[in-house]
Amino acid sequence: MPLHNMYQKVKFFKYSGNFDASHINRKNIYDAQILYAQWHASDTSKQLTIEMEIETLDRSVSLKKIKKASQANLPVPEDVRLYLQPTTHIPTDGKVALKTMEITKGITDRFQKVEAIYNWITETTFRDPSIVGCGVGHAGKMIESGYFGGKCTDISSLFVAFLRSAGIPAREVFGIRVGKSHFSKILGKSDKHGFADISTWQHCRVEYYIPGAGWIPSDPADITKLELGEGLKYSDQRVQELKKRYLHSWEMNWIGFNHGRDFVLYPEPEQYPLNMLGYPYGEIEDEVLDYYSPKHFSYRITSQELGLK
Amino acid sequence: MKILLVFIIHFTLFAEDKTALIKVTGMTCPMCTTAIKKSLKKVDGVIKAKVKLNTAVATVTFREKVTQGQLLKAIADVGYKGEFISVK
């Protein structure tokens, strides 16, 4: 289910279908809001329809505010400390720690560390179109293998792993593109009526936390997507422009769902832990439905831009 | 009247099916279990396959003609490594 916050307001959310039971819960360590539906075995086609209206606002935190807060070097609040912890796919020790130390050598200021890591990530990683979906997001494997090609979850996870290793709270934000980007059609598009079939437009972004400035939006993966999609080099002006913006902002033709990594849903599914929840998740008995394939699962997600109200 | 009744009873003797527990390494997400399960079930003679992510164990029921090598290859074919825990 979508996040409800300052940059993304859920105006309404409703669901219907021929399920035998359903409920909404937040019973997981990431406080992710989950819609659960269950069907008994039958020959009937199982259906669930979700409708939601969401108002989004482009999101940016001023560099002046971030730098000032960073210089104050305030303690990390208790409720944010979860996002300093390693998970199965986001290790913060070993080679990850060594690489983080190498990238941030001689830097003590939190935000300057973020900048150094962001520069390394955007320059070193590249979009690998052969990766299925958004990628698994296995930061440990990337650093072990030395192969830095991936998709948005892979690149975001590596960024998060380095940041956490540097003592900066960080998290992936799993979501979906919902329409036209004003920067590049590579980063989202819709038809002339503002409609789009977004069934395969899942996209993972990042937030990092500077005490005093709060959670700050970032999106290193879209830098690599722009390079590949528009055939640009890292040094090209448009790439550098987006890189500058996406250190501390998001264009909001996108909806965020949750921050969960390597966690267990409720009720406990047959297969767990779930490495991320960026797609609809379904099981028939003990078999996981292919969430990377809307056609086979099957699901369809569409968006309609309503404009300003 | 004498009637000779001859009953020919044909017994087909099936060898007992086997069940193997295989430790699988390399799984990263729930979809991995589906890929492994499907690959194992493609092996002629595999009756049932169940793969659990949290324990990283595949439970495979198969006819006697199936070799352990075939099962390990089926797992390797989809990018994972299998190691037998037990076969009964």
Side-chain angles (χ1 to χ4, degrees):
Chain A
M1 288 182 63
L3 294 162
H4 178 76
N5 51 36
M6 292 296 287
Y7 62 84
Q8 179 178 300
K9 293 191 180 352
V10 181
K11 298 292 189 179
F12 80 75
F13 180 97
K14 59 182 181 183
Y15 69 96
S16 59
N18 60 356
F19 38 79
D20 295 295
S22 73
H23 70 257
I24 290 167
N25 74 75
R26 289 182 177 271
K27 294 181 180 179
N28 57 79
I29 61 164
Y30 292 100
D31 198 35
Q33 201 169 19
I34 307 294
L35 167 60
Y36 170 80
Q38 179 189 316
W39 290 261
H40 300 320
S42 74
D43 294 333
T44 312
S45 169
K46 281 74 181 164
Q47 291 172 354
L48 172 66
T49 303
I50 302 168
E51 284 179 81
M52 53 185 113
E53 185 179 315
I54 298 166
E55 185 181 309
T56 65
L57 292 166
D58 280 351
R59 190 180 172 203
S60 185
V61 182
S62 85
L63 287 173
K64 191 178 172 184
K65 182 183 175 179
I66 299 169
K67 286 173 181 174
K68 191 180 172 187
S70 187
Q71 283 161 10
N73 200 26
L74 299 165
V76 173
E78 194 57 42
D79 63 339
V80 174
R81 299 191 73 82
L82 170 66
Y83 299 103
L84 281 169
Q85 298 302 313
T87 77
T88 306
H89 290 100
I90 313 171
T92 55
D93 58 358
K95 286 188 178 178
V96 170
L98 289 172
K99 180 53 80 174
T100 304
M101 283 190 275
E102 182 192 311
I103 295 166
T104 61
K105 193 177 178 183
I107 304 170
T108 53
D109 180 85
R110 278 192 185 115
F111 183 59
Q112 285 176 14
K113 285 184 183 181
V114 173
E115 282 182 295
I117 294 166
Y118 180 76
N119 289 342
W120 188 94
I121 290 280
T122 52
E123 189 168 12
T124 310
T125 64
F126 58 94
R127 187 172 174 87
D128 180 347
S130 72
I131 302 284
V132 177
C134 293
V136 169
H138 200 329
K141 194 175 176 183
M142 282 179 97
I143 205 80
E144 282 293 331
S145 68
Y147 181 73
F148 298 113
K151 290 261 191 84
C152 55
T153 302
D154 303 314
I155 292 162
S156 296
S157 298
L158 192 61
F159 188 36
V160 166
F162 286 157
L163 289 169
R164 289 187 188 182
S165 189
I168 297 146
R171 61 192 183 189
E172 295 96 329
V173 194
F174 295 96
I176 193 162
R177 297 180 204 272
V178 290
K180 188 180 176 182
S181 164
H182 295 287
F183 194 87
S184 170
K185 64 180 182 186
I186 293 298
L187 307 179
K189 58 189 177 188
S190 58
D191 69 13
K192 62 182 179 184
H193 305 294
F195 175 84
D197 184 331
I198 58 170
S199 302
T200 59
W201 289 17
Q202 289 80 6
H203 179 52
C204 175
R205 290 176 148 176
V206 173
E207 287 177 322
Y208 56 91
Y209 192 90
I210 303 288
W215 285 106
I216 295 151
S218 184
D219 192 345
D222 263 3
I223 313 307
T224 65
K225 188 174 172 74
L226 182 74
E227 286 175 66
L228 183 72
E230 290 194 4
L232 300 171
K233 292 190 185 76
Y234 183 69
S235 57
D236 286 345
Q237 194 190 333
R238 269 176 66 71
V239 175
Q240 288 301 308
E241 172 59 27
L242 190 68
K243 181 196 157 190
K244 198 173 156 185
R245 289 188 194 190
Y246 275 4
L247 170 63
H248 64 111
S249 68
W250 284 343
E251 185 184 9
M252 280 304 292
N253 60 327
W254 173 89
I255 301 290
F257 296 133
N258 64 76
H259 316 291
R261 285 308 312 262
D262 303 314
F263 71 119
V264 185
L265 293 168
Y266 177 86
E268 189 179 277
E270 192 67 29
Q271 303 295 353
Y272 64 90
L274 190 59
N275 72 313
M276 54 93 187
L277 186 59
Y279 297 78
Y281 183 79
E283 291 179 352
I284 297 177
E285 293 174 346
D286 69 327
E287 193 162 305
V288 181
L289 299 175
D290 187 353
Y291 43 81
Y292 290 128
S293 175
K295 187 181 164 187
H296 294 101
F297 188 101
S298 64
Y299 61 83
R300 185 169 186 242
I301 310 170
T302 62
S303 68
Q304 175 64 57
E305 205 169 334
L306 301 173
L308 292 172
K309 283 195 163 180
Chain B
M1 182 189 290
K2 287 184 180 177
I3 297 172
L4 176 66
L5 288 176
V6 179
F7 291 90
I8 300 171
I9 302 171
H10 181 78
F11 289 100
T12 303
L13 293 174
F14 284 109
E16 275 191 30
D17 297 335
K18 292 180 175 180
T19 298
L21 297 181
I22 305 169
K23 189 78 184 172
V24 181
T25 51
M27 287 196 286
T28 55
C29 66
M31 278 306 302
C32 300
T33 64
T34 301
I36 295 163
K37 183 178 173 174
K38 283 181 176 172
S39 187
L40 284 165
K41 286 177 94 171
K42 276 185 196 167
V43 177
D44 182 29
V46 167
I47 302 158
K48 205 163 55 175
K50 186 170 182 160
V51 185
K52 288 284 283 174
L53 179 63
N54 60 315
T55 58
V57 172
T59 306
V60 192
T61 305
F62 55 97
R63 300 268 188 249
E64 198 178 30
K65 66 176 182 180
V66 177
T67 66
Q68 293 189 14
Q70 281 177 288
L71 298 180
L72 294 184
K73 185 180 180 300
I75 293 168
D77 283 349
V78 283
Y80 306 90
K81 188 174 181 290
E83 193 180 329
F84 278 86
I85 300 167
S86 66
V87 182
K88 286 177 184 172

PDB file of all heavy atoms in Angstrom, chain A residues 63-74 108-112 210-213:
ATOM      1  N   LEU A  63      20.102  22.333   0.036  1.00  0.00           N
ATOM      2  CA  LEU A  63      21.480  21.965   0.392  1.00  0.00           C
ATOM      3  C   LEU A  63      21.968  22.780   1.594  1.00  0.00           C
ATOM      4  O   LEU A  63      22.716  22.272   2.433  1.00  0.00           O
ATOM      5  CB  LEU A  63      22.408  22.184  -0.809  1.00  0.00           C
ATOM      6  CG  LEU A  63      22.265  21.168  -1.953  1.00  0.00           C
ATOM      7  CD1 LEU A  63      23.111  21.579  -3.150  1.00  0.00           C
ATOM      8  CD2 LEU A  63      22.646  19.762  -1.502  1.00  0.00           C
ATOM      9  N   LYS A  64      21.515  24.019   1.668  1.00  0.00           N
ATOM     10  CA  LYS A  64      21.917  24.896   2.772  1.00  0.00           C
ATOM     11  C   LYS A  64      21.456  24.292   4.107  1.00  0.00           C
ATOM     12  O   LYS A  64      22.222  24.213   5.067  1.00  0.00           O
ATOM     13  CB  LYS A  64      21.288  26.280   2.561  1.00  0.00           C
ATOM     14  CG  LYS A  64      21.817  27.364   3.467  1.00  0.00           C
ATOM     15  CD  LYS A  64      21.170  28.701   3.143  1.00  0.00           C
ATOM     16  CE  LYS A  64      21.557  29.738   4.195  1.00  0.00           C
ATOM     17  NZ  LYS A  64      20.870  31.016   3.961  1.00  0.00           N
ATOM     18  N   LYS A  65      20.202  23.832   4.107  1.00  0.00           N
ATOM     19  CA  LYS A  65      19.625  23.227   5.322  1.00  0.00           C
ATOM     20  C   LYS A  65      20.373  21.932   5.687  1.00  0.00           C
ATOM     21  O   LYS A  65      20.689  21.694   6.862  1.00  0.00           O
ATOM     22  CB  LYS A  65      18.141  22.926   5.086  1.00  0.00           C
ATOM     23  CG  LYS A  65      17.438  22.338   6.296  1.00  0.00           C
ATOM     24  CD  LYS A  65      15.984  21.988   5.980  1.00  0.00           C
ATOM     25  CE  LYS A  65      15.336  21.284   7.168  1.00  0.00           C
ATOM     26  NZ  LYS A  65      13.923  20.946   6.911  1.00  0.00           N
ATOM     27  N   ILE A  66      20.651  21.133   4.661  1.00  0.00           N
ATOM     28  CA  ILE A  66      21.335  19.848   4.904  1.00  0.00           C
ATOM     29  C   ILE A  66      22.728  20.088   5.475  1.00  0.00           C
ATOM     30  O   ILE A  66      23.132  19.467   6.460  1.00  0.00           O
ATOM     31  CB  ILE A  66      21.439  19.014   3.601  1.00  0.00           C
ATOM     32  CG1 ILE A  66      20.046  18.679   3.043  1.00  0.00           C
ATOM     33  CG2 ILE A  66      22.213  17.724   3.855  1.00  0.00           C
ATOM     34  CD1 ILE A  66      20.067  18.103   1.625  1.00  0.00           C
ATOM     35  N   LYS A  67      23.475  21.000   4.851  1.00  0.00           N
ATOM     36  CA  LYS A  67      24.856  21.271   5.273  1.00  0.00           C
ATOM     37  C   LYS A  67      24.907  21.829   6.696  1.00  0.00           C
ATOM     38  O   LYS A  67      25.770  21.444   7.497  1.00  0.00           O
ATOM     39  CB  LYS A  67      25.526  22.235   4.291  1.00  0.00           C
ATOM     40  CG  LYS A  67      25.881  21.560   2.969  1.00  0.00           C
ATOM     41  CD  LYS A  67      26.397  22.554   1.938  1.00  0.00           C
ATOM     42  CE  LYS A  67      26.719  21.833   0.624  1.00  0.00           C
ATOM     43  NZ  LYS A  67      27.092  22.760  -0.445  1.00  0.00           N
ATOM     44  N   LYS A  68      23.969  22.712   6.999  1.00  0.00           N
ATOM     45  CA  LYS A  68      23.921  23.310   8.341  1.00  0.00           C
ATOM     46  C   LYS A  68      23.637  22.238   9.393  1.00  0.00           C
ATOM     47  O   LYS A  68      24.286  22.184  10.446  1.00  0.00           O
ATOM     48  CB  LYS A  68      22.834  24.401   8.375  1.00  0.00           C
ATOM     49  CG  LYS A  68      22.871  25.265   9.618  1.00  0.00           C
ATOM     50  CD  LYS A  68      21.772  26.316   9.604  1.00  0.00           C
ATOM     51  CE  LYS A  68      21.721  27.034  10.953  1.00  0.00           C
ATOM     52  NZ  LYS A  68      20.568  27.930  11.045  1.00  0.00           N
ATOM     53  N   ALA A  69      22.666  21.389   9.095  1.00  0.00           N
ATOM     54  CA  ALA A  69      22.311  20.300  10.022  1.00  0.00           C
ATOM     55  C   ALA A  69      23.475  19.331  10.184  1.00  0.00           C
ATOM     56  O   ALA A  69      23.771  18.871  11.292  1.00  0.00           O
ATOM     57  CB  ALA A  69      21.078  19.573   9.503  1.00  0.00           C
ATOM     58  N   SER A  70      24.133  19.043   9.088  1.00  0.00           N
ATOM     59  CA  SER A  70      25.253  18.099   9.129  1.00  0.00           C
ATOM     60  C   SER A  70      26.399  18.627   9.986  1.00  0.00           C
ATOM     61  O   SER A  70      27.010  17.879  10.748  1.00  0.00           O
ATOM     62  CB  SER A  70      25.730  17.821   7.701  1.00  0.00           C
ATOM     63  OG  SER A  70      26.697  16.799   7.702  1.00  0.00           O
ATOM     64  N   GLN A  71      26.670  19.916   9.848  1.00  0.00           N
ATOM     65  CA  GLN A  71      27.743  20.537  10.642  1.00  0.00           C
ATOM     66  C   GLN A  71      27.432  20.517  12.139  1.00  0.00           C
ATOM     67  O   GLN A  71      28.335  20.465  12.964  1.00  0.00           O
ATOM     68  CB  GLN A  71      27.980  21.979  10.169  1.00  0.00           C
ATOM     69  CG  GLN A  71      28.781  22.054   8.873  1.00  0.00           C
ATOM     70  CD  GLN A  71      28.646  23.386   8.150  1.00  0.00           C
ATOM     71  OE1 GLN A  71      28.097  24.343   8.674  1.00  0.00           O
ATOM     72  NE2 GLN A  71      29.137  23.424   6.915  1.00  0.00           N
ATOM     73  N   ALA A  72      26.134  20.543  12.478  1.00  0.00           N
ATOM     74  CA  ALA A  72      25.719  20.506  13.888  1.00  0.00           C
ATOM     75  C   ALA A  72      25.993  19.137  14.514  1.00  0.00           C
ATOM     76  O   ALA A  72      26.063  19.008  15.743  1.00  0.00           O
ATOM     77  CB  ALA A  72      24.238  20.850  14.007  1.00  0.00           C
ATOM     78  N   ASN A  73      26.124  18.103  13.679  1.00  0.00           N
ATOM     79  CA  ASN A  73      26.499  16.753  14.115  1.00  0.00           C
ATOM     80  C   ASN A  73      25.643  16.238  15.282  1.00  0.00           C
ATOM     81  O   ASN A  73      26.159  15.769  16.291  1.00  0.00           O
ATOM     82  CB  ASN A  73      27.986  16.725  14.486  1.00  0.00           C
ATOM     83  CG  ASN A  73      28.547  15.315  14.478  1.00  0.00           C
ATOM     84  OD1 ASN A  73      28.020  14.447  13.771  1.00  0.00           O
ATOM     85  ND2 ASN A  73      29.569  15.073  15.268  1.00  0.00           N
ATOM     86  N   LEU A  74      24.350  16.321  15.105  1.00  0.00           N
ATOM     87  CA  LEU A  74      23.403  15.898  16.144  1.00  0.00           C
ATOM     88  C   LEU A  74      23.334  14.366  16.199  1.00  0.00           C
ATOM     89  O   LEU A  74      23.645  13.694  15.216  1.00  0.00           O
ATOM     90  CB  LEU A  74      22.012  16.479  15.832  1.00  0.00           C
ATOM     91  CG  LEU A  74      21.924  18.008  15.785  1.00  0.00           C
ATOM     92  CD1 LEU A  74      20.630  18.452  15.123  1.00  0.00           C
ATOM     93  CD2 LEU A  74      22.056  18.595  17.182  1.00  0.00           C
ATOM     94  N   THR A 108      35.007  13.773   7.775  1.00  0.00           N
ATOM     95  CA  THR A 108      34.321  13.564   9.051  1.00  0.00           C
ATOM     96  C   THR A 108      32.860  14.032   8.990  1.00  0.00           C
ATOM     97  O   THR A 108      32.014  13.507   9.708  1.00  0.00           O
ATOM     98  CB  THR A 108      35.033  14.313  10.194  1.00  0.00           C
ATOM     99  OG1 THR A 108      35.173  15.689   9.805  1.00  0.00           O
ATOM    100  CG2 THR A 108      36.403  13.716  10.473  1.00  0.00           C
ATOM    101  N   ASP A 109      32.580  15.022   8.159  1.00  0.00           N
ATOM    102  CA  ASP A 109      31.224  15.569   8.062  1.00  0.00           C
ATOM    103  C   ASP A 109      30.287  14.563   7.391  1.00  0.00           C
ATOM    104  O   ASP A 109      30.620  13.996   6.335  1.00  0.00           O
ATOM    105  CB  ASP A 109      31.261  16.871   7.245  1.00  0.00           C
ATOM    106  CG  ASP A 109      29.892  17.492   7.092  1.00  0.00           C
ATOM    107  OD1 ASP A 109      29.475  18.229   7.993  1.00  0.00           O
ATOM    108  OD2 ASP A 109      29.220  17.198   6.065  1.00  0.00           O
ATOM    109  N   ARG A 110      29.106  14.357   8.001  1.00  0.00           N
ATOM    110  CA  ARG A 110      28.154  13.361   7.481  1.00  0.00           C
ATOM    111  C   ARG A 110      27.765  13.611   6.020  1.00  0.00           C
ATOM    112  O   ARG A 110      27.814  12.698   5.196  1.00  0.00           O
ATOM    113  CB  ARG A 110      26.871  13.365   8.335  1.00  0.00           C
ATOM    114  CG  ARG A 110      26.967  12.566   9.616  1.00  0.00           C
ATOM    115  CD  ARG A 110      25.559  12.407  10.188  1.00  0.00           C
ATOM    116  NE  ARG A 110      25.582  11.737  11.481  1.00  0.00           N
ATOM    117  CZ  ARG A 110      25.219  12.316  12.617  1.00  0.00           C
ATOM    118  NH1 ARG A 110      24.839  13.571  12.635  1.00  0.00           N
ATOM    119  NH2 ARG A 110      25.240  11.635  13.753  1.00  0.00           N
ATOM    120  N   PHE A 111      27.346  14.831   5.722  1.00  0.00           N
ATOM    121  CA  PHE A 111      26.860  15.099   4.365  1.00  0.00           C
ATOM    122  C   PHE A 111      27.986  15.005   3.336  1.00  0.00           C
ATOM    123  O   PHE A 111      27.767  14.570   2.200  1.00  0.00           O
ATOM    124  CB  PHE A 111      26.153  16.455   4.283  1.00  0.00           C
ATOM    125  CG  PHE A 111      25.576  16.715   2.919  1.00  0.00           C
ATOM    126  CD1 PHE A 111      24.632  15.845   2.367  1.00  0.00           C
ATOM    127  CD2 PHE A 111      25.973  17.811   2.163  1.00  0.00           C
ATOM    128  CE1 PHE A 111      24.098  16.067   1.095  1.00  0.00           C
ATOM    129  CE2 PHE A 111      25.446  18.037   0.890  1.00  0.00           C
ATOM    130  CZ  PHE A 111      24.504  17.167   0.353  1.00  0.00           C
ATOM    131  N   GLN A 112      29.174  15.393   3.728  1.00  0.00           N
ATOM    132  CA  GLN A 112      30.314  15.249   2.803  1.00  0.00           C
ATOM    133  C   GLN A 112      30.590  13.767   2.507  1.00  0.00           C
ATOM    134  O   GLN A 112      30.986  13.415   1.401  1.00  0.00           O
ATOM    135  CB  GLN A 112      31.550  15.945   3.370  1.00  0.00           C
ATOM    136  CG  GLN A 112      31.478  17.464   3.264  1.00  0.00           C
ATOM    137  CD  GLN A 112      32.666  18.170   3.911  1.00  0.00           C
ATOM    138  OE1 GLN A 112      33.681  17.547   4.228  1.00  0.00           O
ATOM    139  NE2 GLN A 112      32.542  19.472   4.124  1.00  0.00           N
ATOM    140  N   ILE A 210      19.915  12.868   7.824  1.00  0.00           N
ATOM    141  CA  ILE A 210      20.854  13.769   8.501  1.00  0.00           C
ATOM    142  C   ILE A 210      20.092  14.376   9.676  1.00  0.00           C
ATOM    143  O   ILE A 210      19.109  15.104   9.457  1.00  0.00           O
ATOM    144  CB  ILE A 210      21.358  14.901   7.558  1.00  0.00           C
ATOM    145  CG1 ILE A 210      22.029  14.336   6.297  1.00  0.00           C
ATOM    146  CG2 ILE A 210      22.298  15.863   8.314  1.00  0.00           C
ATOM    147  CD1 ILE A 210      23.391  13.701   6.476  1.00  0.00           C
ATOM    148  N   PRO A 211      20.485  14.075  10.925  1.00  0.00           N
ATOM    149  CA  PRO A 211      19.762  14.633  12.070  1.00  0.00           C
ATOM    150  C   PRO A 211      19.680  16.161  11.981  1.00  0.00           C
ATOM    151  O   PRO A 211      20.680  16.825  11.697  1.00  0.00           O
ATOM    152  CB  PRO A 211      20.616  14.196  13.268  1.00  0.00           C
ATOM    153  CG  PRO A 211      21.338  12.969  12.785  1.00  0.00           C
ATOM    154  CD  PRO A 211      21.611  13.213  11.335  1.00  0.00           C
ATOM    155  N   GLY A 212      18.484  16.666  12.156  1.00  0.00           N
ATOM    156  CA  GLY A 212      18.283  18.109  12.042  1.00  0.00           C
ATOM    157  C   GLY A 212      17.708  18.503  10.693  1.00  0.00           C
ATOM    158  O   GLY A 212      17.059  19.548  10.566  1.00  0.00           O
ATOM    159  N   ALA A 213      17.928  17.654   9.682  1.00  0.00           N
ATOM    160  CA  ALA A 213      17.368  17.908   8.341  1.00  0.00           C
ATOM    161  C   ALA A 213      16.336  16.848   7.978  1.00  0.00           C
ATOM    162  O   ALA A 213      15.533  17.042   7.072  1.00  0.00           O
ATOM    163  CB  ALA A 213      18.480  17.937   7.298  1.00  0.00           C
TER     164      ALA A 213
END
